[in-house]
């Protein structure tokens, strides 16, 4: 009888334990709130692999905290947001090239961060195959954040707030670089810009002014081959006739491939939020959009890798130029840069 009672209690304890564990796992899973990634009307399917990094509210919040944390840099002064500022659609506000540790300048103008879920490769020369590789590059680059992955992980593990946030995002107390990168990606992948006047016109919520309509016609005939709608980039690399800056000696895509056919080729930037993202060009040499347009009109430099569509430049009348500027302003998305979820 005593043996049977002992077995009964052991079985009971076992089942109670299973129920408690299942309950804890259920609570843990239930406490993670999924984020549904909404593809804007007219946009193609994203290329980002959501299956390998499912979006959750807790992962997004952790990524946002990391993005704005200066302690990811060696001296605490250079968070990701120091080069990617919300007011400038997440590029460096009115700077040619960004500033890094010890007042260094980076090689290039920081690209704006939005609609990254559609990128196949990253950096203006396509040197980064994934977002995760970019984080490693920026954190460890001596002219940027100048830190180390080990140093950053040590800081995070010693911070009680981060411990709680990693637990909330990933379900246990393990803190790894891979999870840090995943959280950062969850934040930046959610930076979607799709609510400009252009988008409202396309969805029937607004209409273009006469100058904007005429500018759209100019854009479609003279710019859209590379700045393809609706993302306003073809995601490929072009030599747009910019002369080499002799102090930088930046040969673009050729630095990655070693192929002379890629000399001075850079990725086509999106024209979305153009009015907000000064400066312009891969090295930020142009202060205003009109300066960039004047380059295409008059100053395209011939060369063996020059994009064929730019041979002889892009002729524009003064009226066409003005109307084109009017249209480009319709690509600004004020709701994107003012979204409180994207701010610190």
């Amino acid at each position: 009888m005593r043996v049977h009672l002992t077995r009964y209690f052991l079985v009971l304890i076992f089942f109670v334990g299973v129920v408690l564990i299942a309950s804890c796992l259920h609570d843990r899973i239930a406490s993670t709130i999924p984020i549904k990634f909404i593809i804007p009307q007219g946009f193609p399917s994203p290329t980002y692999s959501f299956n390998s990094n499912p979006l959750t509210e807790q992962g997004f919040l952790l990524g946002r905290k990391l993005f704005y944390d200066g302690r990811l840099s060696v001296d605490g002064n250079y968070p990701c947001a120091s080069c990617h500022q919300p007011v400038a659609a997440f590029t460096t506000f009115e700077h040619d090239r960004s500033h890094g540790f010890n007042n260094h300048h980076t090689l290039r103008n920081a690209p704006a961060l939005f609609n990254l879920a559609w990128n196949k490769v990253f950096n203006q020369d396509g040197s980064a195959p994934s977002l995760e590789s970019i984080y490693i590059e920026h954190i460890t680059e001596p002219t940027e954040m100048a830190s180390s992955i080990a140093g950053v992980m040590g800081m995070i593990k010693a911070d009680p707030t981060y411990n709680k946030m990693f637990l909330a995002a990933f379900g246990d107390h393990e803190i790894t670089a891979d999870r840090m990168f995943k959280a950062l990606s969850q934040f930046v992948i959610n930076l979607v810009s799709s609510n400009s006047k252009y988008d409202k016109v396309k969805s029937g919520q607004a209409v273009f002014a006469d100058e904007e309509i005429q500018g759209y016609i100019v854009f479609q005939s003279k710019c859209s081959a590379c700045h393809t709608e609706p993302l306003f980039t073809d995601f490929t690399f072009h030599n747009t006739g910019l002369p080499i800056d002799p102090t930088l000696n930046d040969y673009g895509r050729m630095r990655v491939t070693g192929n002379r056919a890629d000399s001075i080729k850079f990725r086509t930037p999106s024209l979305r939020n153009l009015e907000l993202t000064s400066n312009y060009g891969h090295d930020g040499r142009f202060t205003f959009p009109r300066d960039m347009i004047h380059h295409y009109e008059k100053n395209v430099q011939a060369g063996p890798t020059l994009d064929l569509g730019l041979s002889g430049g892009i002729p524009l009348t003064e009226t066409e130029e003005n109307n084109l500027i009017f249209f480009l302003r319709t690509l600004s998305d004020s709701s994107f840069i003012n979204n409180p979820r994207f701010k610190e």
Side-chain angles (χ1 to χ4, degrees):
M1 184 67 176
R2 187 174 297 172
V3 172
H4 288 299
L5 285 173
T6 301
R7 287 178 178 172
Y8 172 78
F9 282 116
L10 286 174
V11 171
L12 182 62
I13 290 169
F14 171 76
F15 279 109
V16 169
V18 169
V19 171
L20 288 173
I21 291 171
S23 177
C24 289
L25 288 174
H26 173 77
D27 289 344
R28 182 178 294 170
I29 293 169
S31 67
T32 303
I33 304 170
I35 292 177
K36 180 177 175 58
F37 187 84
I38 298 174
I39 302 173
Q41 180 180 342
F43 278 38
S45 296
T47 59
Y48 187 76
S49 175
F50 293 99
N51 289 334
S52 63
N53 188 20
L55 305 182
T56 68
E57 182 67 11
Q58 290 77 9
F60 170 86
L61 293 175
L62 173 57
R64 185 175 68 184
K65 179 174 174 60
L66 289 163
F67 186 84
Y68 287 100
D69 194 339
R71 293 177 297 171
L72 268 65
S73 66
V74 69
D75 63 355
N77 292 324
Y78 296 96
C80 304
S82 65
C83 291
H84 299 283
Q85 299 164 307
V87 68
F90 291 90
T91 184
T92 310
F93 182 64
E94 294 185 348
H95 273 64
D96 53 353
R97 293 176 289 128
S98 303
H99 293 270
F101 173 66
N102 203 23
N103 205 34
H104 285 293
H105 271 82
T106 55
L107 177 65
R108 296 177 183 144
N109 178 250
L113 300 184
F114 53 79
N115 301 342
L116 297 180
W118 287 270
N119 284 36
K120 294 180 180 179
V121 293
F122 302 88
N123 284 340
Q124 296 188 51
D125 57 10
S127 59
S130 66
L131 286 169
E132 289 72 20
S133 61
I134 287 183
Y135 308 142
I136 296 172
E137 174 186 336
H138 291 332
I139 289 171
T140 60
E141 168 59 43
T143 63
E144 296 183 34
M145 299 167 84
S147 188
S148 67
I149 302 302
V152 170
M153 296 312 300
M155 176 276 293
I156 289 173
K157 290 177 180 179
D159 186 319
T161 299
Y162 271 127
N163 276 264
K164 291 177 183 177
M165 295 185 77
F166 270 84
L167 173 62
F170 297 105
D172 58 52
H173 290 281
E174 185 179 10
I175 296 175
T176 65
D178 180 63
R179 286 182 167 181
M180 174 178 71
F181 299 151
K182 278 182 164 57
L184 278 166
S185 292
Q186 290 195 42
F187 175 68
V188 299
I189 284 297
N190 273 289
L191 299 177
V192 175
S193 179
S194 61
N195 196 36
S196 65
K197 182 175 182 180
Y198 163 86
D199 297 299
K200 292 173 182 176
V201 169
K202 288 294 181 179
S203 64
Q205 301 175 63
V207 293
F208 284 136
D210 289 344
E211 296 91 347
E212 294 165 349
I213 293 172
Q214 295 305 314
Y216 188 27
I217 293 170
V218 173
F219 167 81
Q220 289 178 310
S221 65
K222 301 193 176 184
C223 312
S224 62
C226 296
H227 295 284
T228 311
E229 299 174 69
L231 293 162
F232 289 89
T233 172
D234 60 4
F235 297 103
T236 59
F237 304 89
H238 300 273
N239 175 354
T240 58
L242 293 175
I244 288 285
D245 183 327
T247 63
L248 299 177
N249 289 315
D250 186 357
Y251 286 84
R253 183 69 175 156
M254 190 174 77
R255 290 164 54 98
V256 180
T257 65
N259 187 343
R260 287 185 176 274
D262 290 326
S263 178
I264 329 179
K265 289 186 177 181
F266 296 88
R267 187 181 62 190
T268 305
S270 174
L271 296 181
R272 284 182 173 270
N273 297 303
L274 181 74
E275 189 178 23
L276 308 173
T277 58
S278 176
N279 286 27
Y280 306 97
H282 64 274
D283 52 13
R285 67 180 68 185
F286 300 112
T287 305
F288 302 105
R290 198 178 292 271
D291 297 334
M292 192 84 207
I293 292 172
H294 287 166
H295 160 73
Y296 287 122
E297 288 180 60
K298 310 167 186 175
N299 299 319
V300 171
Q301 179 174 283
T305 65
L306 177 68
D307 190 276
L308 293 178
L310 295 176
S311 179
I314 301 177
L316 293 171
T317 67
E318 184 177 350
T319 299
E320 287 176 325
E321 179 185 314
N322 289 334
N323 288 338
L324 179 58
I325 292 291
F326 277 117
F327 168 71
L328 293 175
R329 288 175 180 163
T330 73
L331 303 180
S332 298
D333 184 351
S334 59
S335 64
F336 171 67
I337 64 170
N338 292 313
N339 190 330
R341 279 180 57 78
F342 300 155
K343 296 185 179 182
E344 186 173 9

